[in-house]
Amino acid sequence: MNDTILTAAKETSAAAAGAKSDPTRYANAIRALAMDAVEKAKSGHPGMPMGMADVATVLFQRFMKFDASRPDWPDRDRFVLSAGHGSMLLYALLYLLGYPGMGRKELENFRQLGSPTAGHPEYGHAAGIETTTGPLGQGLATAVGMAIAERLSAARFGDDLVDHFTYVIAGDGCLMEGVSHEAIDLAGHLKLSKLILFWDDNSISIDGPTSLATSTDQIARFAAAGWHVAHVDGHDSEAVAQAIAAAQADPRPSLVGCRTLIGYGAPTKQGKESCHGAPLGAAEIDAAREALVWPHAPFELPDDVLEAWRAAGRRGAKAREAWEARRDASSKGAAFDAFMKADVAAQVAGPLAEFRATLAAEKPKVATRKSSEMALGVINAATQATIGGSADLTHSNFTITKGMGEVAPDDFSGRYIHYGVREFGMAAAMNGVALHGGFAPYGGTFLVFSDYARGAIRLSALMGLRVIYVLTHDSIGLGEDGPTHQPVEHLAALRAMPNLNVFRPADAIETAECWELALASRHTPSVVSLSRQNLPTLERPIGENLSAKGAYVLREAAGKRDVTLLATGSEVEIALAAADILDTQGLKAAVVSMPCWELFEAQSEAYRAEILGGAPRVAVEAAVRLGWDRWIGDRGAFIGMSGFGASGPAGELFKHFGVTAEAVAEAARTLVKA
Amino acid sequence: MNDTILTAAKETSAAAAGAKSDPTRYANAIRALAMDAVEKAKSGHPGMPMGMADVATVLFQRFMKFDASRPDWPDRDRFVLSAGHGSMLLYALLYLLGYPGMGRKELENFRQLGSPTAGHPEYGHAAGIETTTGPLGQGLATAVGMAIAERLSAARFGDDLVDHFTYVIAGDGCLMEGVSHEAIDLAGHLKLSKLILFWDDNSISIDGPTSLATSTDQIARFAAAGWHVAHVDGHDSEAVAQAIAAAQADPRPSLVGCRTLIGYGAPTKQGKESCHGAPLGAAEIDAAREALVWPHAPFELPDDVLEAWRAAGRRGAKAREAWEARRDASSKGAAFDAFMKADVAAQVAGPLAEFRATLAAEKPKVATRKSSEMALGVINAATQATIGGSADLTHSNFTITKGMGEVAPDDFSGRYIHYGVREFGMAAAMNGVALHGGFAPYGGTFLVFSDYARGAIRLSALMGLRVIYVLTHDSIGLGEDGPTHQPVEHLAALRAMPNLNVFRPADAIETAECWELALASRHTPSVVSLSRQNLPTLERPIGENLSAKGAYVLREAAGKRDVTLLATGSEVEIALAAADILDTQGLKAAVVSMPCWELFEAQSEAYRAEILGGAPRVAVEAAVRLGWDRWIGDRGAFIGMSGFGASGPAGELFKHFGVTAEAVAEAARTLVKA
């Protein structure tokens, strides 16, 4: 195939130079910008943008519904560059189409500090970047979430207000990653007919030909997952256009396999891994200019080409205006606007405050996963924004509440998604749901399996999305399932991640508080770490959300502190028992509950000093020590885990590993004596 | 289908009670032990063992090559219970077959602290448990590694010494997990014909019917990945047997889809999610005993049934003896034994010591990823145990060395594996290679993508396997690729994991030292964290492996220390420059390199105190602070990252984020003044 394309390339481009409307010429603008920007940056990936330029041109000039002047139009089609290393394809498109904030200067500053044209597309850096991509496979999995959100929104507000496609470009790498399987299966199952995936089938990976590592028949694979499939020459614009039209009409999600030549137009490097991730070099670029019949200086474009692209950028303005008119005329228009802008925190604040008062009165002794279910009952009644789900652990995570309704392939009126045994896919889909707008997604699995989802949790944090991870069975307290299911290092590993709030509530009241804080964190994802085992409701002052400052004195010492005991979650009960023991021994202990280190860290030094106190400190957490030295200091002690857990009844395990009130009291006595 | 099976169940069992050799009766022994053990433990998963008992009976009584009295026979078939929650299937089999250490008492102590019969199968707890399973999908992915190791071994020592199958039982959950895709693709590509996967096709997941979350045609999916496929009634022993025979004969890996009834034999719960993960209850168990015509007390077996099983356990003794005879007669027998027992650390020690001396003389200024390649050149020449690879980043990770030879579908003589863009699958496969014996696998990706592989890294640590993760591009020092590719929290997240050595060498010599230590750690996996950017070879005493104690004084202060600077990896150079600045200002700074916190933690308190010193300490690492307070103490300061990185040239990023010698010196001055 390569030879044919090689021969055809120059002929097509030459013809295009004459016939000004030929799409190849518009595509060549993308190619030139990509190779020039990478060359100037001295790093980057020219191969993919050059290979997929023709497909992108057809898509954006003829199919995508958008208005470049209004990138926030809610009913725009979404475009996700899952093969994020090809970022210059996206930046070139945004510039050519006239998106605000993406000028020639930004392209010339590709990959420079402070420029929106980062090495990989970063959400929030420029209008038109719908999600951060780069970690392979995740763009596709995030797009599944966007397509789910589109269906959820349409079910609520009608097809006349919500009716748009989600387009994705993915490469061989994306399709090798495991998360692609989770995404493809879920999309096929849910019949996400408005999800259209272009596979850049260029047979090249970084190490060399894809035949080094994969032999899968991708077309058959997608068909097995319930997708509509097509396979076309990615440099044949009409074939691509026909495939898109067929994909739009099909009731299934669609794969359009696009056979392409990576680096199309670079005479000696095209079709080879050498053009994937490095500048082409001046000589090759000169030769490519000749081959593509593109006699223009770097970053310069013929007026007619730029104008044609800018016209494409304006093409959707009428559709956008028509949509606005429909919205203004619709009985659901105001509700739609309100939904997209809703202040979820305000919606739930009153009911949750009332709920906390009830808890303080009734003092339930339940697992915090159960407390979470109770809080969710209040939350899901107070707001329509929440979309719940679980990776096939619904009745362990307690993530469903009465009357939510379950999402099914032909019914998106519900609010609960059975994500299947797909932690990573669930997390990435939640990112997509959050990015789409309006919704506040939460999803459950066991804390230990946050490992499986970590790649997507990181993108929640990096993008600053309100995604809430409900992670239950959060210590050896889960008991018999044993060390494969018992997290010991996961709290530390999650606390290490920037812009992620890790909540570990100690009882029902803190659980409600943490949920309130998580929903109020519009630009920070949250982990809510919950126990399998029952915990008592603790005594404390009623009213204020005490978790809001991250840590607080749950029980002050009766007099000057001899020692301060620090704990989180299920171990707060242990710290209180230790304080009781110490009391009988004449030592005055304060107990500090620390449901969220990140929020505590954000308080003033004075507040932190007041809470932690000047007395020696003992921390207790059924997890590894890493990170605790920040709070216990040089004179401190830590009671917790130093290795993996074991299979056995929870009570025996706490004794076996020495995570007990007696051990805490003993450590405190030793410190005070020292 | 369920109805037919329901009716057939009692008839078959009744017939079996008469016709004593009927396999259903042997399978019923598994069913009874599973339901009784779960009942006694008051927790566990009876449904899967009861559903797959017939398949397991056919497999172990008629096909598996093993000798229960010699579970370490190298040429035994491997069996992996990927659906690890069904652990009672495996424990029942090991007991019935007469494996050492698995008696009735162990079954009665299912899920009790200290018993080898943990909630999920734990490698090392009992003979016959080939790998730890439970985190879904990973058993399958680990089995792919075992099957690769079988082919690697056969290519080296011949089919007469190495010729065994790897059998896997996986459930719907395993096949929904993304890692299953990576494993299936890799196995199909490499034509692992001796890998045979039984899919427990029971249509039930925890939340309910699998139709809640998946619609994939699994048979078509596996066929698309190049597998031989069959689909049979999992309760029809002859059909299962025929499928196994066909699978053994096929030149591709094989899927045997087994339609089963979860909880087969439990009259009201079979076929439902209620029998998946909870005891059946006394009444249901009584009814099941009746339906299965199994009038025996809990844990009691009729003599003839037990004897038939024990005979099956002895069935392979002759094959094992024949193999031993072949080995003794083979010209490769001694080499095979030596290979399986090789002391890799001893093999590489001399050459690496010599290499370090050369480095000390030549002082190369290269990235530590390049130093790693140089060290691997020495290592791979000194031992045949190492099996390298990369997740499609070979020429970024620098993991291949001259003359290794590349593994290909029809040629396993090489030592380098192109794992494809499959970090998780690679890591799990490496676990399988290590478990199989003899080999020391290492594999590369970017440090940031350790997130994708984390589930398998955890199993390396939990099982105590010598698997080495070569994780390059280990900070903002990678530059323009930006925050999606820049690890900031990964060192902390990996340091949090028990039994994992995280090495971050500062130069070429430390890199060689860390490789030596990683290869010598037979029961601890290692991360070797490596820079993209060049680093100078530092001055230090020559000879001893200074990294062996985890941290050491690289440069002592000229006189009493005013301050101690702590650093790892690429920031050691910064610490040295800071010491120079301080020197000009009359402050005496010592510089401590800390290539491995875990090894430092394992030293005596006296050693640690000597290295850290009594002066104030400043740590510098281009990563988050979490964990550093352990070393810097209350009076300490930390220079590093407080959030995600950015896209730009590396030098600018270090300045932008303030990770500079000037910042370290300034922090030191402030501390000394305080």
Side-chain angles (χ1 to χ4, degrees), chain A residues 41 43 45 111-114 117-122 132-138 172-182 185-186 188-189 205-208 210-218 220-221 224-225 390-396 406-407 416 418-424 448-449 451-452 454-455 458-459 461-462 480-490 492-493 495-499 532 597 624-627 629-630 632-635 642-644 646-649 652-653 656-657, chain B residues 41 43 45 111-114 117-122 132-138 172-182 185-186 188-189 205-208 210-218 220-221 224-225 390-396 406-407 416 418-424 448-449 451-452 454-455 458-459 461-462 480-490 492-493 495-499 597 624-627 629-630 632-635 642-644 646-649 652-653 656-657:
Chain A
S43 77
H45 300 75
R111 294 182 148 236
Q112 301 312 302
L113 189 56
T117 47
H120 294 80
E122 304 281 342
T132 294
T133 52
L136 293 179
Q138 280 199 70
D172 294 296
C174 290
L175 300 193
M176 278 194 257
E177 288 288 359
V179 70
S180 70
H181 170 62
E182 302 183 17
D185 265 19
L186 185 58
H189 173 70
S205 66
I206 295 178
D207 276 7
T210 52
S211 59
L212 280 175
T214 185
S215 306
T216 288
D217 178 342
Q218 294 288 359
R221 174 194 176 199
S390 168
D392 196 39
L393 288 169
T394 295
H395 304 295
S396 296
E406 300 180 32
V407 168
Y416 194 81
H418 290 284
Y419 286 106
V421 189
R422 306 183 180 106
E423 299 80 8
F424 197 178
V448 81
F449 297 130
D451 280 346
Y452 277 47
R454 206 171 153 87
R458 186 172 207 262
L459 284 191
L462 181 56
E480 291 87 348
D481 273 347
T484 53
H485 285 56
Q486 291 163 353
V488 294
E489 74 276 31
H490 298 76
R495 286 167 180 156
M497 199 179 283
N499 194 39
R532 174 176 188 261
W597 288 17
V624 299
R625 177 180 183 136
L626 195 94
D629 289 271
R630 171 89 179 87
I632 59 178
D634 289 350
R635 285 190 301 156
S642 58
F644 293 108
S647 174
E652 292 181 37
L653 293 177
H656 177 73
F657 290 108
Chain B
S43 78
H45 300 75
R111 295 182 147 237
Q112 303 311 303
L113 189 55
T117 47
H120 294 79
E122 304 282 341
T132 294
T133 52
L136 293 179
Q138 279 199 70
D172 293 297
C174 290
L175 299 194
M176 277 194 258
E177 288 287 0
V179 71
S180 70
H181 170 61
E182 302 183 15
D185 264 19
L186 185 58
H189 173 69
S205 64
I206 295 179
D207 276 7
T210 51
S211 59
L212 280 175
T214 185
S215 306
T216 288
D217 178 342
Q218 295 288 359
R221 174 194 176 199
S390 168
D392 196 38
L393 289 169
T394 296
H395 304 296
S396 296
E406 299 180 33
V407 168
Y416 194 81
H418 290 284
Y419 285 107
V421 189
R422 306 182 180 106
E423 298 80 9
F424 197 178
V448 81
F449 298 131
D451 280 346
Y452 277 46
R454 205 171 154 88
R458 187 172 206 261
L459 284 191
L462 182 56
E480 291 86 347
D481 274 346
T484 54
H485 285 55
Q486 291 163 355
V488 295
E489 74 275 31
H490 298 76
R495 285 168 180 153
M497 198 179 284
N499 195 38
W597 287 17
V624 298
R625 178 178 182 137
L626 195 94
D629 289 272
R630 172 91 179 88
I632 59 179
D634 289 350
R635 286 190 302 155
S642 59
F644 292 107
S647 174
E652 291 181 37
L653 293 177
H656 176 73
F657 290 108

Side-chain angles (χ1 to χ4, degrees), chain B residues 4 9 32 64 134 161 183 189 223-224 232 234 285 291 304 326 335 367 380 392 421 469-470 499 547 577 580 640 660:
Chain B
T4 320
M64 275 282 288
L161 292 188
H189 173 69
V232 301
I285 287 178
D304 67 304
R326 282 203 305 283
N380 291 336
D392 196 38
V421 189
Y469 296 92
V470 183
N499 195 38
S547 300
D580 289 341
T660 62

Side-chain angles (χ1 to χ4, degrees), chain B residues 8-20:
Chain B
K10 194 163 174 178
E11 285 170 19
T12 313
S13 292
K20 293 203 167 187

Side-chain angles (χ1 to χ4, degrees), chain A residues 223-367:
Chain A
W227 286 51
H228 162 72
V229 292
H231 210 183
V232 300
D233 175 352
H235 304 297
D236 179 341
S237 298
E238 281 314 307
V240 172
Q242 284 169 27
I244 297 174
Q248 288 185 336
D250 200 275
R252 296 163 292 180
S254 292
L255 169 74
V256 181
C258 304
R259 284 189 305 271
T260 65
L261 196 63
I262 189 171
Y264 183 103
T268 73
K269 294 192 173 179
Q270 63 186 0
K272 297 178 189 156
E273 63 268 28
S274 57
C275 70
H276 163 82
L280 296 177
E284 183 80 3
I285 288 178
D286 286 347
R289 285 202 139 72
E290 194 176 327
L292 296 169
V293 193
W294 189 262
H296 313 292
F299 301 104
E300 282 192 7
L301 300 166
D303 288 345
D304 67 302
V305 168
L306 184 58
E307 183 36 46
W309 271 109
R310 290 287 155 91
R314 290 186 298 266
R315 184 174 48 85
K318 279 196 182 134
R320 192 252 308 159
E321 284 159 14
W323 178 87
E324 285 168 352
R326 284 203 304 282
R327 179 197 53 189
D328 294 346
S330 166
S331 63
K332 292 182 173 174
F336 178 82
D337 281 351
F339 177 78
M340 294 299 282
K341 281 184 273 186
D343 183 345
V344 178
Q347 290 173 336
V348 302
L352 279 178
E354 202 173 310
F355 174 60
R356 283 196 275 120
T358 309
L359 291 172
E362 296 182 355
K363 295 191 177 38
K365 180 167 182 169
V366 293

Side-chain angles (χ1 to χ4, degrees), chain A residues 506 510 538-541 546 551-559 561-583 587-595 607 610-613 615-620 661 664-665 668:
Chain A
E510 278 193 11
L538 309 170
E539 294 290 339
R540 89 263 275 157
L546 293 166
Y552 62 95
V553 180
L554 177 67
R555 188 199 290 177
E556 190 47 277
R561 293 187 196 175
D562 292 309
V563 63
T564 301
L565 308 181
L566 313 175
T568 75
S570 49
E571 286 73 71
V572 172
E573 182 184 12
I574 291 176
L576 288 165
D580 289 341
I581 294 172
L582 290 168
D583 189 52
L587 290 180
K588 298 182 185 65
V591 174
V592 170
S593 180
M594 302 186 73
Y607 178 80
E610 176 199 329
I611 298 301
L612 295 172
R617 298 169 210 140
V618 181
V620 54
V664 173

